[in-house]
Amino acid sequence: MVRRPRRVAKAGRRWLLLFHRWAGIAAGLFFALWIGSGLVMLYVPFPTLTETEHLARLDPIAWDRVSVAPDDALRAGGLVGVPAAFVLEMRGAEPVYRISQHDGTRATVSARTGELLGPVTPGEALRLAAAGFSDAGVEPVERDQWTVTAQYDPLRPFLKVALGDPAGTELYVSQVTGEIALDTTRSERAWNWVGSVAHWIYLTPLRARAELWRTLLLWLSGFASLGALSGLLIGIWRLRLRRRYAGGAVTPYRGLARWHHLLGLAGGIGLGAFIVSGWISMNPNRWFSSVRPPAELLSAYAGTPPPLGLNPRQLQVFAAPETRSLRFAAIGGDWWIVAQAPECVRAAGAEGGHLEAGTIARAAARAVPGGSLRTAKQLSAYDAYWYPHGADPRPLPVLRLRFDDPASTWLHIDPRDGRILQRLDHSGRISRWLFDAPHRLDLPGLTGNRLRHDAGQWILNLLAASVAVTGIVAGWRRLRRTPSAPGRSGGF
């Protein structure tokens, strides 16, 4: 009876060793790929058009050309209900109202004539995006490497305008709305092939099929996680600090295997944390809720405001100097006019008054079902749940509203314009510690200090890389052995 458990334990250890050996051979190159590309991503994020870049490419609103009232523009755009987004800005020399519905439908209405504007032509795209660039060219794009995700679906197809400048800038103009949806440079594109594209396996034919891509990444990262964790377990099991091996060694291995064992003990926790948290980022079994506020919450937060009742001349009253965008935001059943200029955001009520935290809190309380508002706090500094990450600095101050609903919802809202920036429920806060903390090193003391954060990333990633590289070499040596070759001491 005693021998059987021993045989089972011995067989279990053997299978554990075999699994780690072959899992390491199969996944070792992915480990190295993810580590190297992750370091690139510290400095070159995936291309996106930031709000600052969007405003910088707009001309100040030409108020003398605005002749159409907002309510008339909504009717011309065929709006049903309260819009998800409603903005007045310039499209080249033409002031336009841009209207987005909750189902993603977009409409662009001339603020000068009140006409619903149709698809943009290649000539118009050149005038909108490449004024002053004589070598600019344009080509149609439905979906490519940089516009592969579903967030661009309402804006497709695009006209890609290559400016012909030294930076190799390319701008994506939506044929539907005429707005510039994305900009990339030659350097961004090149680095992203060895950064984000490699890290996320963001190949266009695969990533365009979102569920297939997610399933592949789940299984691949899950298998890699088991390989990394099995190695960490073996490393601890084969380590002897008291009853040492022959010659006083703490490891039974020699040569490269010895280095792999010792480096695995030093960097295995970091490697395992990176790989397992990467698997968690794919949201297995849909355990974690999205931090993006759902459409029904946004709709309830907006309420049902009456018509704006503003004529074109009254709009300029709400503008700040050099206003590039005038946004009409519905909050709690009232309209608020948000003027955006470089380094300036200002909100005022359609009937007067300034947007206050109490107004935002009351609107949000009606939008979160099954609970009431517990606390409202304005943060003027980052903390464990509102912090900068990479190229996303996240605005301050921010208003945090905490509710006692079943999901224990927190909302982070920009007090300047009332935008809900993040919905964080109980599962989202767990995900923050299971993914952001180990994978991105978004930890107290590191976030907000780029030097310490990057130093921590480099140290852990280089240790993990040493584990991966020694494992790849050991695996390659084993694969090269012929069946008749004598066994080599110190191998796995």
Side-chain angles (χ1 to χ4, degrees):
M1 294 295 292
V2 177
R3 292 179 181 176
R4 186 174 180 183
R6 287 180 180 175
R7 287 200 301 269
V8 172
K10 185 177 180 180
R13 289 193 293 270
R14 174 173 172 74
W15 281 108
L16 181 64
L17 286 165
L18 286 172
F19 173 78
H20 177 65
R21 175 189 300 163
W22 295 106
I25 289 173
L29 288 175
F30 284 103
F31 289 153
L33 179 74
W34 286 329
I35 293 165
S37 58
L39 288 172
V40 173
M41 291 171 67
L42 286 176
Y43 307 101
V44 187
F46 195 72
T48 186
L49 186 73
T50 66
E51 187 170 284
T52 300
E53 291 171 331
H54 171 70
L55 289 175
R57 292 192 178 277
L58 294 174
D59 290 328
I61 295 174
W63 296 105
D64 59 326
R65 300 176 204 163
V66 178
S67 304
V68 177
D71 294 326
D72 294 333
L74 290 175
R75 284 190 289 271
L79 176 75
V80 178
V82 180
F86 183 27
V87 179
L88 171 65
E89 60 188 29
M90 298 298 290
R91 191 171 99 170
E94 179 93 349
V96 296
Y97 290 99
R98 301 194 188 279
I99 306 167
S100 302
Q101 300 196 44
H102 289 283
D103 63 359
T105 303
R106 306 294 178 99
T108 304
V109 177
S110 169
R112 183 175 57 85
T113 65
E115 293 179 304
L116 184 64
L117 301 180
V120 174
T121 65
E124 288 174 321
L126 283 172
R127 288 194 296 273
L128 290 172
F133 291 89
S134 58
D135 296 329
V138 62
E139 66 173 297
V141 170
E142 178 65 31
R143 184 191 303 269
D144 69 0
Q145 186 63 55
W146 317 116
T147 59
V148 67
T149 58
Q151 75 181 78
Y152 293 106
D153 286 351
L155 299 171
R156 301 186 199 279
F158 296 101
L159 291 166
K160 184 172 70 174
V161 178
L163 298 185
D165 62 336
T169 305
E170 294 179 351
L171 305 176
Y172 290 76
V173 179
S174 169
Q175 281 192 270
V176 178
T177 67
E179 60 189 296
I180 297 174
L182 176 66
D183 63 347
T184 70
T185 63
R186 186 183 300 109
S187 175
E188 279 182 323
R189 296 189 295 273
W191 280 109
N192 265 276
W193 280 108
V194 293
S196 299
V197 175
H199 196 81
W200 297 328
I201 312 181
Y202 241 42
L203 302 175
T204 304
L206 176 63
R207 186 59 184 87
R209 296 163 176 81
E211 197 54 37
L212 174 62
W213 171 78
R214 176 178 175 272
T215 300
L216 175 66
L217 265 291
L218 267 173
W219 282 98
L220 182 58
S221 59
F223 176 75
S225 297
L226 292 176
L229 293 176
S230 65
L232 185 60
L233 183 60
I234 291 168
I236 295 171
W237 159 42
R238 302 307 300 271
L239 179 70
R240 287 188 185 177
L241 297 177
R242 291 185 180 180
R243 295 189 307 109
R244 299 192 174 191
Y245 297 99
V250 297
T251 173
Y253 304 112
R254 294 192 295 277
L256 182 67
R258 180 175 184 271
W259 280 107
H260 185 67
H261 184 199
L262 296 177
L263 288 169
L265 290 168
I269 292 177
L271 177 60
F274 284 144
I275 302 301
V276 173
S277 59
W279 174 71
I280 288 172
S281 74
M282 301 310 299
N283 199 4
N285 204 35
R286 312 287 184 186
W287 288 330
F288 309 110
S289 300
S290 172
V291 298
R292 294 181 179 178
E296 56 271 20
L297 186 149
L298 293 174
S299 181
Y301 177 68
T304 308
L308 274 152
L310 298 172
N311 64 52
R313 293 291 165 256
Q314 290 175 301
L315 295 180
Q316 194 170 355
V317 174
F318 298 94
E322 292 291 300
T323 294
R324 309 291 177 93
S325 173
L326 199 70
R327 184 159 55 87
F328 307 92
I331 301 174
D334 293 315
W335 285 109
W336 295 86
I337 318 301
V338 182
Q340 288 185 281
E343 301 181 3
C344 176
V345 177
R346 189 170 73 187
E351 298 181 357
H354 297 285
L355 187 61
E356 297 177 346
T359 302
I360 294 171
R362 287 190 294 273
R366 291 193 289 268
V368 178
S372 56
L373 180 64
R374 290 179 56 196
T375 62
K377 181 180 180 181
Q378 183 158 299
L379 305 180
S380 57
Y382 295 119
D383 68 3
Y385 291 98
W386 185 255
Y387 47 87
H389 172 69
D392 176 17
R394 290 185 176 174
L396 283 174
V398 69
L399 183 64
R400 175 181 291 158
L401 305 180
R402 300 175 61 180
F403 297 85
D404 60 4
D405 61 309
S408 188
T409 300
W410 293 9
L411 296 180
H412 289 116
I413 301 177
D414 191 330
R416 299 173 303 168
D417 59 10
R419 280 186 303 168
I420 300 178
L421 303 173
Q422 184 187 64
R423 174 187 179 269
L424 202 62
D425 65 6
H426 182 66
S427 71
R429 293 191 291 278
I430 293 175
S431 176
R432 179 261 181 275
W433 293 109
L434 294 182
F435 170 63
D436 284 10
H439 201 82
R440 295 174 167 174
L441 288 193
D442 284 333
L443 294 165
L446 295 182
T447 54
N449 187 310
R450 190 63 189 261
L451 181 61
R452 284 202 297 261
H453 178 269
D454 285 9
Q457 284 279 14
W458 276 94
I459 290 169
L460 290 179
N461 274 281
L462 288 177
L463 278 172
S466 68
V467 179
V469 170
T470 53
I472 290 170
V473 175
W476 173 248
R477 289 178 177 176
R478 177 165 289 277
L479 289 174
R480 290 181 62 191
R481 294 182 193 177
T482 63
S484 59
R488 298 181 184 179
S489 62
F492 288 107

